[in-house]
Amino acid sequence: MAHPAPHDPTADRWGEVDAYLTSTLVTHDDALTASIDSLTEEGMPEIEVSPLTGKLLHLLARLAGAHRVLEIGTLAAYSTIWLARGLPDGGRVVTIEAEPRNAAVARRNLERAGVADRVEVREGRGEDVLPTLSGTEPFDLVFIDADKESNTLYLDWAARLGRPGTVVVVDNIVRSGHVVETDAGAQIDGVRAGLEMLRIDPRFDATALQTLDRKGWDGIAIALLV
């Protein structure tokens, strides 16, 4: 049987595929849609994860049997809602947001989604907030989606605050292909340093996936603490 001719991965084509996969596998949800809409309404950058990635985070939390989740970079809480909904009764998400205005929007979205009782939004820069979490119960999943220049710092704290078996996810590691460049600016330098840390640091065992979706060409790294 003849196979159809392959399509080049143009933006139009991968947009169509993303829309198809999203409509097929991600159920419409008013609270999640409202979280996305709030970015435009509040003039915030529209850099939330895609619906498919959001559901991946949700499933990873469930697969890991996570009770405690740490998120670095809240924005409007779109990914936070996905993560919180993946937790069992008594589960907890601690999410860190540097911008007070973003944190206020996030809290409203969490209330609307009915998960505010299981999410603690901590305001401040990650480098200041993360040390305050030392001595708490280990986190079972860590999602890193903040300033890329600090990826190595965030990974170090993920290892300190996790346990063997903790899942660590790092977003935006391809950056439209710029990750292969060595002179593309501080954000790319931070991404590359984080990936190098995942390679050489014995606390991690990691892989990475490229993604093509409504957010463009990017990718995620997924690691296990060992």
Side-chain angles (χ1 to χ4, degrees), residues 9-202:
T10 63
D12 285 344
R13 176 58 64 170
W14 78 61
E16 291 174 5
V17 172
D18 178 74
Y20 165 71
L21 294 175
T22 299
S23 64
T24 302
L25 298 172
V26 182
T27 304
H28 174 78
D29 183 281
D30 288 339
L32 287 168
T33 299
S35 176
I36 294 174
D37 291 343
S38 70
L39 295 169
T40 302
E41 294 165 1
E42 299 293 335
M44 296 164 63
E46 297 180 27
I47 53 175
E48 81 290 350
V49 302
S50 72
L52 290 168
T53 301
K55 188 163 186 182
L56 173 63
L57 293 170
H58 171 85
L59 292 174
L60 285 173
R62 293 172 61 188
L63 287 165
H67 285 258
R68 282 175 54 80
V69 171
L70 172 62
E71 179 183 51
I72 305 172
T74 315
L75 197 60
Y78 180 76
S79 54
T80 321
I81 295 168
W82 275 113
L83 288 164
R85 288 179 172 176
L87 301 184
D89 291 343
R92 192 78 171 162
V93 177
V94 176
T95 183
I96 301 171
E97 175 53 50
E99 299 294 334
R101 180 188 175 201
N102 294 356
V105 173
R107 289 189 178 99
R108 291 197 296 271
N109 288 331
L110 293 165
E111 288 283 354
R112 183 188 293 114
V115 296
D117 61 330
R118 62 180 63 183
V119 179
E120 179 184 358
V121 181
R122 294 209 180 188
E123 295 181 32
R125 293 188 57 80
E127 63 190 62
D128 299 320
V129 176
L130 288 165
T132 70
L133 300 175
S134 292
T136 62
E137 185 180 347
F139 290 96
D140 308 303
L141 186 150
V142 180
F143 178 46
I144 299 172
D145 189 16
D147 60 297
K148 311 312 169 190
E149 296 90 336
S150 301
N151 272 6
T152 55
L153 181 145
Y154 298 148
L155 284 167
D156 180 58
W157 276 107
R160 295 190 198 190
L161 297 172
R163 54 165 178 77
T166 291
V167 177
V168 181
V169 182
V170 186
D171 199 21
N172 306 128
I173 56 95
V174 172
R175 311 293 291 185
S176 298
H178 293 297
V179 69
V180 300
E181 302 170 13
T182 57
D183 58 352
Q187 287 194 356
I188 304 304
D189 289 345
V191 169
R192 289 173 62 92
L195 292 170
E196 183 67 12
M197 182 173 179
L198 290 176
R199 182 180 74 86
I200 66 175
D201 191 317

